[in-house]
């Protein structure tokens, strides 16, 4: 009989780590070209940022992407917002205010997710 590889993690009572959901939708031709020209550099700068644990990026369609990143703490995430990569996106957005639909949400874990095999997401932070 094969043992299940499904497991949970033990979260601290007050977890510091956060998950950040960031989405971008191109609303016109300018936004479309900017999105596809900068997508990889946005992902790479996030991966390399201090305090970033993991980045998962997905293509929702030809005009939309979503990234979920896991951070050691909200402080590291806020530091990233002050950096060059984020500033570049905001500069484009201010010059072309109708070209991109941007959204983001930050979540702090309140209970363990379910994981199997190698750790992902919060299991990288709080797994044993």
């Amino acid at each position: 009989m094969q043992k299940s590889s499904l497991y949970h993690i033990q979260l601290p009572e007050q977890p510091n780590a956060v998950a950040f959901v960031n989405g971008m939708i191109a609303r016109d031709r300018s936004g479309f070209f900017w999105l596809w020209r900068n997508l990889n550099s946005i992902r790479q700068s996030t991966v390399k940022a201090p305090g970033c644990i993991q980045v998962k990026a997905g293509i929702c369609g030809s005009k939309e992407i979503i990234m979920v990143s896991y951070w050691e703490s909200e402080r590291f995430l806020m530091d990233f917002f002050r950096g060059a990569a984020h500033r570049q996106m905001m500069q484009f957005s201010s010059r072309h205010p109708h070209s991109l639909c941007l959204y983001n949400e930050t979540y702090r874990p309140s209970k363990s997710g379910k994981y199997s095999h190698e750790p992902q997401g919060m299991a990288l932070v709080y797994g044993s």
Side-chain angles (χ1 to χ4, degrees), residues 79-92:
D79 289 346
F80 177 72
F81 288 154
R82 292 182 202 97
H86 189 259
R87 190 170 33 257
Q88 177 190 15
M89 182 172 55
M90 292 298 97
Q91 286 171 347
F92 174 83

Side-chain angles (χ1 to χ4, degrees), residues 8 15 82 111:
H8 292 83
R82 292 182 202 97
K111 68 178 191 172

Side-chain angles (χ1 to χ4, degrees), residues 2 14 24 27 31 34 39 50 59 64 66 69 75 92 97 105 113 116-117 124:
Q2 190 174 12
Q14 298 289 324
M24 296 177 221
R27 298 183 71 228
W34 185 91
L39 177 59
I59 299 169
E64 182 177 7
I66 190 164
S69 52
R75 181 181 59 84
F92 174 83
E105 301 169 339
S116 70
H117 306 291
L124 289 171

Side-chain angles (χ1 to χ4, degrees), residues 21-33:
V21 177
N22 183 28
M24 296 177 221
I25 302 169
R27 298 183 71 228
D28 61 21
R29 181 182 170 102
S30 182
F32 178 85
F33 287 117

